[in-house]
Amino acid sequence: MKKIMYIISVSLVVILTTNACNEDFLEKQPQGQFSPATMKTLEGVEGLLTGAYALLDGIGTNGVTDWHAPASNWIFGSVVSDDAYKGSDAGDQPEQTFMERYVWLPTNTHIYSKWRALYDGIARANDVLKTLAEVEEINEERRAQIEAEARFLRGHYHFEAKKMWNNISFISHDLWNPDDPSSVLMPNTEDVWPYIETDFEYAMDILPDNQSDLARPTRYSAMAYLAKTHMFQAFPNGQTDPAHIQSAKQLLDEIIASGEYRLVEQFHDNFAAETRNNDESIFEIQYSLTASDGSGGNLGDGLTYMYPNGPGGCCGFFQPSQNLVNAYKTDENGLPLIESFNEVDIKNDEGVFSSEPFEPYEGRLDSRLDWTVGRRGIPYLDWGVHPGRFWIRDQSYAGPYSSKKQIVSQAESGISGNDRLSANNYRLIRYSNVLLWAAECEVELGNLEQARAYVNIIRERAANPDGFVKNEDGTPAANYVVGLYTQPWSDQALAREAVRFETRLEFAMEGHRFFDLVRWGIAEPVLNEYLEKERQLRTYLSGATFENKHRFYPIPEQAIVYSSKNGEPTLKQNEGY
């Protein structure tokens, strides 16, 4: 589904999100434009739909750098959270350092590029819907399927924008007035959640339970995404909204009861190219190595490989934080140290040359740590034992750890001629998401024992010795001790903390953490507590402070300028920027 063609159709949404106020641009014929007549056929609509799918990975918008808008959100969802540092060294990609320090400016190129990529995706989905309405030769069943897939994609792109900026415009194909190029833009002062919900509801009503083409969403994909929209509205200002909790629970219960999904036995099977589209996957963003323009695969994660000597040979970004590593400590019963995990740091090799002896931490750990983080003395996929400093670009700047979930195995490396490019999909929604969202709902509804049962399903997999990282001789690579919650949960506040902590352990370094903290309404206290200690380790964080305005990114300045209608911008800046 990747980059079969790059479509610039007649939709003015593309123009509005990039060059809406440039009269010279409007007078020029766009390069590579297909004629409307060519598109108004079954083949043309299918091609437009392929183009809408193609932007799911965030790669392909003209002029947007590959790592500015990746589907994995490793910058926007992990680096700005307590999970990860920017990594690399002080002089590389300073815009990312500004983001990590919460110096968020409307002129930040990374932020504008993400905006452009998402609204380009929205434009492509709208092209499908607008053109579809003008084609007569399509049978009604396929017409409904195409519309459902396009609306699912439009819902996805708007959802991603909503969680980034909150105050966004919802752009619909049926708002377009050809005599008024600005008509496709609604002001960003209206809440667009109901519009996003409607798109997913439509998709859920039409899409089949299963698709022969694994790239396409199913009814359950739309159902899970709709539940996710409710989970993002469930805690306004840190309080619980019972209506959204109940709506999410109903959807999640149906997915669980369907029996369509299960947790795969090995945690790492969710991050290996060889086991993509497995029984746990509800919706994956497909990566391919066959793109004719060379932009396929996980290109958006290309900066996150080791530098200069480790896997990939570049570029050393996206390094796990000490706070995250500490979170995987367990007690004598194998349970997380929710309150005290960050009091004492897990031993690491910072400042120790790879040629010098080093013994890894011997304390109790959750087994998911070493599938999430690369650390010295522990096997790193099939690349051998992590040697520490030899693989790290600048330990003194960004610490001793390497990211791991997005890294391709040595067996898959180099297939495309690029050691950092692979067909390792990004699992956007998997069954473990559903179980932990369901656990959140049960906690808020007072059903604490059902919440405990869901969390224990997740922990049971982490406790299975067959899924531990192993040394060459087959022994566990560390002292993995993972237990279940055997005592009944009777305190709602403690249960809530346990579910949220489990969510971090399960999905760390996957681009979700920051957005989870925001939707729970706890980003400000959690991240400032993180900064208070972490700046002692990473001096460049000195003076960094998370403020309430940082819950959402600033609307890009160029987007505001380009939104002008009758000389006045349609888009309004987020408060505080």
Side-chain angles (χ1 to χ4, degrees):
M1 304 291 293
K2 281 296 304 139
K3 311 297 187 298
I4 295 174
M5 56 181 165
Y6 180 76
I7 307 273
I8 303 177
S9 188
V10 294
S11 171
L12 292 179
V13 177
V14 177
I15 299 172
L16 283 165
T17 54
T18 54
N19 292 279
C21 290
N22 188 329
E23 294 181 0
D24 291 337
F25 180 88
L26 292 173
E27 292 174 358
K28 293 179 181 178
Q29 182 75 8
Q31 295 297 308
Q33 181 178 5
F34 286 79
S35 70
T38 301
M39 293 297 99
K40 293 177 183 178
T41 63
L42 173 59
E43 293 77 11
V45 172
E46 296 283 10
L48 289 170
L49 183 59
T50 297
Y53 274 105
L55 271 185
L56 282 173
D57 64 0
I59 311 299
T61 293
N62 188 37
V64 172
T65 305
D66 299 328
W67 59 84
H68 283 187
S72 63
N73 281 324
W74 63 270
I75 302 170
F76 300 104
S78 290
V79 168
V80 300
S81 78
D82 48 0
D83 273 5
Y85 312 130
K86 181 207 78 175
S88 182
D89 59 30
D92 205 348
Q93 297 296 318
E95 278 196 330
Q96 290 186 25
T97 303
F98 296 151
M99 293 172 67
E100 188 180 359
R101 287 177 44 79
Y102 306 111
V103 183
W104 291 1
L105 301 176
T107 53
N108 187 298
T109 304
H110 283 68
I111 296 173
Y112 180 47
S113 293
K114 185 70 172 179
W115 176 280
R116 289 185 57 195
L118 292 176
Y119 274 95
D120 195 353
I122 292 167
R124 294 191 189 192
N126 279 326
D127 281 343
V128 175
L129 294 167
K130 183 179 185 302
T131 306
L132 179 65
E134 301 177 22
V135 179
E136 298 179 356
E137 64 187 73
I138 303 176
N139 68 62
E140 290 309 306
E141 182 179 359
R142 183 58 192 147
R143 182 184 300 277
Q145 287 279 324
I146 291 174
E147 181 172 358
E149 290 182 33
R151 291 186 67 170
F152 177 92
L153 294 173
R154 186 173 70 180
H156 161 78
Y157 292 125
H158 277 112
F159 180 95
E160 287 289 295
K162 175 68 173 173
K163 75 180 187 182
M164 284 278 298
W165 294 283
N166 190 40
N167 298 310
I168 63 166
S169 295
F170 186 89
I171 299 181
S172 178
H173 65 292
D174 52 13
L175 296 177
W176 182 25
N177 175 2
D179 296 324
D180 179 8
S182 295
S183 63
V184 293
L185 282 177
M186 62 183 288
N188 64 333
T189 53
E190 182 178 350
D191 184 13
V192 303
W193 278 127
Y195 299 98
I196 297 173
E197 291 174 18
T198 299
D199 271 350
F200 288 131
E201 287 168 351
Y202 182 89
M204 184 179 71
D205 290 342
I206 300 296
L207 292 172
D209 289 357
N210 296 284
Q211 294 269 24
S212 57
D213 185 342
L214 297 176
R216 301 180 190 274
T218 66
R219 173 172 173 262
Y220 293 109
S221 305
M223 190 180 297
Y225 225 141
L226 180 58
K228 188 176 181 179
T229 65
H230 289 297
M231 295 307 296
F232 268 72
Q233 300 172 78
F235 304 101
N237 301 314
Q239 304 300 309
T240 301
D241 185 320
H244 285 295
I245 290 290
Q246 288 283 7
S247 295
K249 173 178 162 54
Q250 182 178 352
L251 296 162
L252 297 166
D253 284 350
E254 185 171 347
I255 296 170
I256 294 169
S258 73
E260 291 284 336
Y261 305 97
R262 67 174 183 87
L263 296 187
V264 294
E265 293 182 5
Q266 310 291 334
F267 179 64
H268 182 62
D269 282 350
N270 289 301
F271 315 107
E274 300 90 336
T275 50
R276 57 186 180 169
N277 297 309
N278 58 45
D279 289 343
E280 190 167 336
S281 175
I282 295 179
F283 187 68
E284 291 191 18
I285 294 177
Q286 306 291 315
Y287 292 161
S288 169
L289 295 178
T290 60
S292 60
D293 63 356
S295 63
N298 58 333
L299 194 63
D301 298 329
L303 292 187
T304 67
Y305 280 69
M306 307 320 109
Y307 176 91
N309 305 301
C314 181
C315 300
F317 286 76
F318 194 34
Q319 294 180 230
S321 70
Q322 185 64 52
N323 181 286
L324 175 63
V325 173
N326 292 344
Y328 286 92
K329 290 186 291 189
T330 61
D331 66 15
E332 61 275 10
N333 297 312
L335 296 177
L337 305 174
I338 297 175
E339 296 298 328
S340 61
F341 76 93
N342 204 37
E343 291 176 359
V344 179
D345 291 342
I346 284 179
K347 178 184 177 183
N348 63 65
D349 70 317
E350 185 166 345
V352 179
F353 286 101
S354 295
S355 58
E356 297 175 332
F358 175 79
E359 293 295 329
Y361 178 76
E362 296 180 350
R364 294 178 294 266
L365 294 169
D366 189 301
S367 64
R368 288 168 290 187
L369 168 63
D370 290 323
W371 289 121
T372 303
V373 175
R375 58 194 184 100
R376 182 168 176 182
I378 306 298
Y380 191 89
L381 304 179
D382 58 352
W383 291 94
V385 174
H386 195 299
R389 186 168 177 167
F390 187 63
W391 280 7
I392 304 297
R393 187 166 185 170
D394 187 347
Q395 268 196 348
S396 63
Y397 175 74
Y401 304 112
S402 306
S403 58
K404 196 169 188 178
K405 284 182 175 178
Q406 81 289 0
I407 301 298
V408 67
S409 66
Q410 188 173 21
E412 286 279 320
S413 175
I415 293 176
S416 67
N418 181 340
D419 288 344
R420 300 185 302 282
L421 197 63
S422 79
N424 190 12
N425 294 347
Y426 177 64
R427 284 72 165 176
L428 181 63
I429 302 177
R430 59 183 198 266
Y431 189 53
S432 47
N433 289 109
V434 166
L435 290 175
L436 287 171
W437 289 332
E440 286 188 47
C441 292
E442 301 294 1
V443 167
E444 300 309 321
L445 295 172
N447 305 320
L448 304 187
E449 284 300 275
Q450 184 58 64
R452 181 170 71 95
Y454 285 142
V455 170
N456 276 341
I457 293 173
I458 300 292
R459 295 191 62 78
E460 190 172 11
R461 174 171 63 185
N464 183 355
D466 291 340
F468 292 173
V469 173
K470 303 287 181 55
N471 294 316
E472 190 174 357
D473 62 3
T475 58
N479 182 19
Y480 303 124
V481 182
V482 185
L484 306 185
Y485 286 98
T486 58
Q487 297 300 313
W489 285 359
S490 57
D491 186 301
Q492 186 182 45
L494 294 179
R496 184 182 295 118
E497 287 187 6
V499 173
R500 291 177 176 180
F501 204 86
E502 195 68 30
T503 298
R504 185 186 191 189
L505 299 178
E506 181 76 5
F507 301 107
M509 304 294 284
E510 294 183 50
H512 301 304
R513 175 64 173 172
F514 174 75
F515 301 111
D516 280 338
L517 292 174
V518 170
R519 72 179 178 87
W520 291 329
I522 60 174
E524 190 168 2
V526 169
L527 293 177
N528 281 319
E529 183 178 357
Y530 160 77
L531 290 168
E532 184 176 354
K533 179 178 179 183
E534 214 70 16
R535 64 171 57 101
Q536 300 172 31
L537 304 173
R538 312 273 73 88
T539 57
Y540 68 87
L541 291 175
S542 296
T545 302
F546 184 92
E547 301 176 26
N548 189 57
K549 69 176 183 180
H550 295 128
R551 293 174 301 143
F552 302 106
Y553 289 87
I555 307 295
E557 182 177 294
Q558 288 168 289
I560 293 175
V561 171
Y562 291 152
S563 75
S564 291
K565 182 176 182 179
N566 299 324
E568 293 294 328
T570 303
L571 299 177
K572 294 186 177 181
Q573 183 56 267
N574 281 336
E575 186 176 351
Y577 294 106

